[in-house]
Amino acid sequence: MSHLLRKPQANELSQGVKLVHEVKKSNSDLSYVEFKVLDLAPGSSYEESLSKQECCIVALTGKITATDHEQTFENIGTRESVFERKPTDSVYVSNDRKFGITAVTEARVALCYSPSENQLPTKLIKAEDNGIENRGKFSNKRTVHNILPDSDPSANSLLVVEVYTESGNWSSYPPHKHDQDNLPEESFLEETYYHELDPQQGFVFQRVYTDDGSIDETMTVENGNVVIVPAGYHPVGVPDGYTSYYLNVMAVPTRKWKFHNDPDHEWILER
């Protein structure tokens, strides 16, 4: 199996709390992005202390209560399935704080991390505050929910978005990359993709490749998988009959999303 593709686990952290994914610096090629997915049974709780990291808590499904022990946000989360296609609630917590999550209902939660030295206020990012964009045309259509875009100054390094790609369409396409610290032309962003499919037995294809060929992997990605993008172009193809969802986590030294299209394929934008 590709070292960029991660299958879900079911490691029990405590009663009612299961670790589905854990992408860390120590087990990946990433230096800025870390990522976890937790499954919580009703009434179960999870706590964590942040050192020099910030974290965006995304209520993927179900309802949770989240706290930094100064502010508490009760009964957040808006959906039972990501394919309800409505934005959800998230909470941003800055470095050198502790946070806790308690499941009100059965819940799946994503924890998105990046380095942070400058402590910022804890913030509830309400579902209705997510910017919604429809991008692309022809067979390149997708819908984006902006949770923490670069236009939002609430975070130091993190960028977090959700993307829905229609049946038979391509996403992150034409292939683009953001692995050079060369603003204003291109920014350096590491990235993870957490994927879900509707129906769940589906799959998508994701290729990650660099100009010099040091990375060139094409993966069959199934429901609940994570793909790691340390560098390079990273398009996603969705077969007919299935809809793709993914949660993107990006982090950068300079918090700006500026990408560079693969020049071999940029021509499709001129159609």
Side-chain angles (χ1 to χ4, degrees):
M1 186 172 71
S2 164
H3 76 290
L4 302 179
L5 179 65
R6 302 292 171 88
K7 302 284 187 177
Q9 316 167 42
N11 296 329
E12 191 162 342
L13 296 181
S14 59
Q15 187 171 359
V17 180
K18 290 182 179 179
L19 179 66
V20 181
H21 283 288
E22 185 173 28
V23 177
K24 304 184 293 184
K25 296 175 188 177
S26 60
N27 67 10
S28 73
D29 295 334
L30 303 178
S31 299
Y32 289 92
V33 173
E34 295 192 336
F35 181 69
K36 290 179 186 173
V37 176
L38 302 176
D39 279 344
L40 292 91
S44 64
S45 295
Y46 174 82
E47 288 218 347
E48 187 173 326
S49 294
L50 298 170
S51 54
K52 297 304 179 185
Q53 283 186 311
E54 58 190 356
C55 182
C56 184
I57 304 164
V58 182
L60 289 171
T61 57
K63 288 193 175 294
I64 61 172
T65 292
T67 182
D68 69 352
H69 302 286
E70 293 181 6
Q71 300 181 73
T72 299
F73 308 105
E74 297 184 345
N75 295 309
I76 63 172
T78 64
R79 59 201 186 194
E80 294 304 308
S81 165
V82 298
F83 291 103
E84 292 176 27
R85 290 173 170 260
K86 57 187 179 184
T88 191
D89 301 313
S90 304
V91 176
Y92 170 82
V93 183
S94 194
N95 52 282
D96 302 307
R97 294 187 185 274
K98 181 184 292 186
F99 69 84
I101 303 166
T102 299
V104 179
T105 67
E106 185 176 343
R108 175 163 283 196
V109 178
L111 301 177
C112 317
Y113 306 87
S114 67
S116 175
E117 296 280 346
N118 176 35
Q119 194 176 79
L120 296 172
T122 298
K123 180 181 178 182
L124 172 63
I125 305 167
K126 297 179 181 178
E128 56 264 32
D129 294 334
N130 285 204
I132 300 177
E133 297 179 58
N134 292 306
R135 297 180 187 167
K137 59 183 180 179
F138 304 122
S139 296
N140 190 24
K141 296 188 182 73
R142 62 265 199 216
T143 301
V144 179
H145 296 168
N146 288 304
I147 297 172
L148 268 178
D150 60 0
S151 58
D152 184 342
S154 301
N156 288 308
S157 180
L158 271 175
L159 301 168
V160 183
V161 300
E162 298 183 303
V163 180
Y164 294 87
T165 307
E166 304 300 331
S167 170
N169 277 251
W170 286 80
S171 195
S172 297
Y173 193 81
H176 69 257
K177 71 180 184 75
H178 34 67
D179 58 14
Q180 300 294 318
D181 189 7
N182 185 34
L183 287 169
E185 283 75 29
E186 184 178 351
S187 57
F188 171 65
L189 294 127
E190 294 178 340
E191 190 166 14
T192 56
Y193 278 66
Y194 164 73
H195 289 269
E196 292 196 20
L197 283 303
D198 184 30
Q200 289 189 0
Q201 71 268 25
F203 58 88
V204 299
F205 296 110
Q206 184 159 18
R207 184 185 181 197
V208 180
Y209 66 100
T210 56
D211 287 319
D212 64 4
S214 59
I215 300 174
D216 192 352
E217 298 192 24
T218 301
M219 291 155 275
T220 303
V221 183
E222 297 176 316
N223 188 68
N225 290 182
V226 168
V227 172
I228 297 166
V229 184
Y233 307 97
H234 40 274
V236 177
V238 183
D240 182 47
Y242 293 92
T243 303
S244 158
Y245 163 92
Y246 53 79
L247 177 75
N248 276 147
V249 183
M250 294 174 276
V252 289
T254 303
R255 192 169 177 267
K256 190 71 177 176
W257 184 55
K258 186 70 174 177
F259 60 84
H260 170 75
N261 290 320
D262 185 335
D264 286 345
H265 307 295
E266 194 169 30
W267 65 269
I268 73 161
L269 296 174
E270 300 171 2
R271 292 177 299 165

